Amino acid sequence: GGGTDVVVVFERGGGFAGVQEKWTIYADGAITLAEDGQVAAQETGRVTAEQVSDLLAGIDGLGFFEMQDSYTNDECADCFQYTVTVTSGGVTKTVSTIDAAKDAPPELGQVLTLIQALLPATN
């Protein structure tokens, strides 16, 4: 794997404003953001490659790769929806959830927290 491999894609949408964000984290630590379906993602931040591998280890340790693909058992108009795609060791896994999903494991919330902690502040 090269340094520019995509390791995490974090999509967040919904809420009152109906915003769509797609964050991409690369193995070398580059982070890009595309909003509202933009194709051209702009580099918005950079972390170290070590932080990215720590993130992957944390996600793996929380059992992300064993989770269901979707936890969206509640209809919630103003809730944020999250889709997380992680590629590690040649395996790609996507999990979708919403803020209010009662069936989502607490570990999934911890995964979201870990990812969002690396993202640059947008506001």
Side-chain angles (χ1 to χ4, degrees), residues 1-120:
T4 55
D5 288 350
V6 171
V7 291
V8 176
V9 177
F10 173 72
E11 295 174 80
R12 178 169 58 190
F16 292 107
V19 65
Q20 275 304 133
E21 298 176 339
K22 180 178 181 179
W23 296 89
T24 305
I25 302 175
Y26 296 86
D28 65 356
I31 299 174
T32 61
L33 170 63
E35 291 181 280
D36 295 325
Q38 290 172 339
V39 182
Q42 288 164 329
E43 186 170 320
T44 55
R46 188 169 273 278
V47 294
T48 66
E50 189 179 20
Q51 282 174 290
V52 176
S53 49
D54 285 350
L55 172 67
L56 283 177
I59 289 171
D60 198 18
L62 286 165
F64 180 82
F65 288 93
E66 283 74 56
M67 290 180 190
Q68 296 176 31
D69 291 340
S70 179
Y71 298 98
T72 53
N73 66 333
D74 284 327
E75 288 300 315
C76 179
D78 292 318
C79 287
F80 274 102
Q81 300 179 339
Y82 302 96
T83 303
V84 179
T85 304
V86 180
T87 302
S88 180
V91 179
T92 298
K93 167 84 172 171
T94 299
V95 176
S96 301
T97 189
I98 61 173
D99 272 340
K102 295 184 180 65
D103 61 341
E107 289 81 6
L108 181 52
Q110 292 170 345
V111 167
L112 295 175
T113 300
L114 283 176
I115 294 170
Q116 292 177 93
L118 275 195
L119 301 179

